[in-house]
Amino acid sequence: MTQKTETADLSDYSIGYNAISSYFADRVFGPKAQAKYLNKISQNAIANAVGHGQLIDKDTANEVAKGMQEWALELGATHYTHWFQPLRGTTAEKHDSFFEPTGIDTGIEKFNGKSLAQQEPDASSFPSGGIRNTFEARGYTAWDPSSPAFIMSKAGAKTLCIPTIFISYTGEALDYKAPLLKSVAFLKQTSLDICHYFDKKVQACSISLGIEQEYFLVDAQQFKGRPDLLFAGRTLIGNSPAKGQQLEDHYFGSIPIRVLGFMADFEERAHLLGIPLRTRHNEVAPGQFECAPQFEDMNLAVDHNSLLMDLMESVAHDHDLKVLLHEKPFKGINGSGKHNNWSIITDTGVNLLSPGNNPEKNLQFLSFFINIIKAVHDHRDLLRASIATAGNDHRLGANEAPPAIMSVFVGQALEKVLNDFEINAKAGKKTDSFSPINVPNIAAILFDNTDRNRTSPFAFTGNKFEFRAVGSSDNCSSSMVVLNTIVANQLKNFKAEIEKALKVDPSINAEDAMKTILRHYVSGSKHILFGGNGYGEEWKKEAKKRGLSNITTTPEALKAYLSKPSIELFVNNRIFSHRELEARTEIRFETYVLRLQIEGRVLNELVSSYVIPSAVNYQKTLADNVQAMLSIGVKKALCKSQIEIIEFLATQINTVFELDKKMTAERAEANNIENAEKKALAYCNKVKILFDQIRECCDEIERVCDDALWGLPKYRELLALN
Ligand code: ADP
Ligand code: MG
């Protein structure tokens, strides 16, 4: 059931109580709209571009533009934009109108193949990591026909959005999408090559991704009262409420009415834009929620997730709510992530990660399964780097899901299969994988072959891998580019090894060659498998013994991008040039510093404009009271507690003031460092550590201070949505 809202810009979206299928993707120029507005040649050209990466010629582009414009105008669009994903997160758009004046009082609506295919946005202030010096400052957007155009409606303004890549004049990628498309193509090809050992009929593979998105919602008025949420996206101070998530009574609980209203609106608009949302629920922390779409082709899934984040923010605005996509908005309760569910599926409908009933005999499954494990094993530090951001450091490395140690969870049953396979043993007694529910009247259902482990960063869940360590505000491309590339590279090496073995000894068959190679892989990489509690201290010790690193900060993690194996991996497979890789890493260091710079400044403001004045006011109230008590003859001994509070506050004020000064000085020093990596390290090791100490003092003051004199909305107010 959808909730009606009064705001004008939503009226266009008031679908009433119709089935979702009746309006799904109505604002998308997908195959259905194309069939109505394009001739057969243009439709086929797009289908070939999507399916086989074929280029679309100029005449066809003009035809497509004509049909697309007609469709968009009928739906009320006045402007169009090339929609892209620059490297500073979020999405970028620059709107141009279709309208073109032809005289003093006449005009027409115009749009052609050139406007569709390519634009040159004035984008000199997008980060490029030094790639775009002023003499070659031009950046181009180019149409990605594999992601359909859509019409975004905000505040009554309707804009035709055309998904594009963003590249420099010299051809270097300046966005998230371009390398993602390259890595997807690489993995499709190498997967297909391996499939052909098993089934020559397979003509193509696709890479599937389903992204679960966690987020917090807070009341917009409360939000506005918190400079830290406003500017840094997370609270920098705040005393934990008496009741947090201890009872876990929020998880899967009934969704607060106000939140449900938001969700219904937001889902309706997402469905109109073709985002196949299916799931909504409360998450573990109070005020935390999750939504998940059905999985899609990776390129589309990533576009849809970017669009979803944008949409959530604008719909929340209509409900006087604020969406917090930060990885750790509140201390003491869970942070948010994105679970990236990932698999490879053939055009014959086989999920290559589906173990079937007899995984031990399913060599095709084992080939993919083992190669993925080996890829993660060999490039685990790079995978860790792919999710490194200032925000995500609060999840990874803190005592919460998932840990910063990269490991793979496959479940007991499959771990046994791997072990047996390694020693070539006959599969012994099978671990009970299918267990009937022993409740009368309830049908026995098939259970997954894998149990669940919520603490693993990279878990096999039945017929897909789930990369759970991605940050909630991240663009998934960074991590997916790494995952696709390491797996594709591994499959490429696997094929080369098979071919070599067959050449060396023509008497063996491909299957035997594969088994020998795979066995070898299992032996070399099985110490990345871990099924225990990923949060525990024990695991940290055990991981160290196994040689698995535990990199808890972004500046340390990012170094893995520029290690020799990483450079070879990306450059040899033409995913990134060396220059692109350096530029991107530099941007990541810079972004880290920018985030911490903002946090430092906001913390200064909180300390000097909120915390200290509140403390002083309360001291004054108490001091006045003590004086009044004494003046009417109350014994001094009876003023003892109040004097103690005054003294306690004085100590805290002095401490926090000194710490704040020290932090400002450290920041000034770090700001003098030119080199991006060194600067990031200084911010991490010298500035950030003071944040926690400052926070401790502030939280003590908040705990003691008179509520009426506390100038900031407190945790209990921020987290009490219903
Ligand atoms: P949960 O992990 O919360 O139990 P599910 O496992 O049912 O939820 O699904 C989570 C996400 O995984 C959804 O987006 C779903 O579409 C996606 N998913 C399911 N199967 C696959 C697959 N084969 N490849 C990629 N994603 C998948
Ligand atoms: Mg999941």
Side-chain angles (χ1 to χ4, degrees), residues 33 48 75 198 233 249 253 260 338 413 504 663 679:
N48 284 332
L75 286 170
F198 300 94
D249 48 357
L260 192 56
K338 280 192 226 267
V504 171
M663 189 260 284
K679 196 173 188 167

Side-chain angles (χ1 to χ4, degrees), residues 381-382 384-385 388-389 393 549-563 585 589 592 677-678 680-682 684-685 688:
D381 289 350
L382 180 61
R384 164 67 184 92
T389 60
D393 280 0
S549 36
N550 179 15
I551 307 168
T552 55
T553 66
T554 294
E556 288 297 336
L558 288 178
K559 289 178 187 171
Y561 269 105
L562 298 174
S563 71
T585 313
F589 282 121
Y592 178 83
E677 180 180 338
K678 289 194 177 125
L681 280 167
C684 178
N685 298 325
K688 198 183 80 173

Side-chain angles (χ1 to χ4, degrees), residues 226-335:
R226 296 280 313 206
D228 45 2
L229 283 181
L230 203 56
F231 297 117
R234 73 178 183 105
T235 56
L236 297 168
I237 62 173
N239 192 34
S240 298
K243 176 178 175 286
Q245 65 186 45
Q246 302 93 327
L247 299 177
E248 301 218 337
D249 48 357
H250 183 68
Y251 190 52
F252 279 18
S254 113
I255 300 172
I257 287 294
R258 189 170 170 203
V259 174
L260 192 56
F262 156 79
M263 286 177 172
D265 255 359
F266 142 66
E267 286 170 11
E268 186 173 285
R269 293 175 59 159
H271 288 143
L272 276 165
L273 291 171
I275 303 174
L277 279 182
R278 294 193 62 189
T279 309
R280 54 161 102 118
H281 62 79
N282 290 357
E283 254 305 322
V284 174
Q288 193 186 29
F289 306 92
E290 179 183 302
C291 62
Q294 171 146 315
F295 67 90
E296 300 175 274
D297 256 9
M298 181 178 278
N299 178 35
L300 208 51
V302 173
D303 275 2
H304 278 164
N305 183 254
S306 294
L307 187 55
L308 183 97
M309 292 195 285
D310 185 34
L311 201 57
M312 279 171 120
E313 294 194 345
S314 69
V315 177
H317 179 267
D318 296 331
H319 288 255
D320 221 12
L321 291 168
K322 220 41 208 174
V323 175
L324 306 180
L325 289 169
H326 194 283
E327 286 72 20
K328 190 75 180 177
F330 302 101
K331 194 184 162 185
I333 55 178
N334 276 12

Side-chain angles (χ1 to χ4, degrees), residues 212 339 341 452 466:
E212 301 164 62
H339 295 181
N341 295 272
R452 292 262 160 169
E466 186 170 336

Side-chain angles (χ1 to χ4, degrees), residues 178-196 202-209 297-299 341-346 351-353 367-369 371-373 375-376 383 458 465 479-495 569 573-575:
L180 183 73
L181 292 175
K182 288 187 196 175
S183 73
V184 167
F186 182 32
L187 183 54
K188 278 180 171 179
Q189 185 56 52
T190 48
S191 299
L192 182 63
D193 290 346
I194 300 303
C195 279
H196 279 166
V202 177
Q203 286 185 346
C205 291
S206 64
I207 317 304
S208 299
L209 178 62
D297 256 9
M298 181 178 278
N299 178 35
N341 295 272
W342 173 93
S343 71
I344 311 169
I345 299 175
T346 67
N351 177 350
L352 295 167
L353 296 184
S367 296
F368 282 90
F369 192 59
N371 273 289
I372 292 166
I373 294 169
V376 173
L383 202 59
F458 198 82
F465 274 100
S479 47
M480 292 301 104
V481 164
V482 168
L483 183 57
N484 292 342
T485 308
I486 61 176
V487 172
N489 182 65
Q490 179 51 43
L491 292 173
K492 184 177 94 174
N493 292 344
F494 180 48
K495 184 181 171 198
L569 172 79
N573 294 311
R574 308 185 65 159
I575 305 297

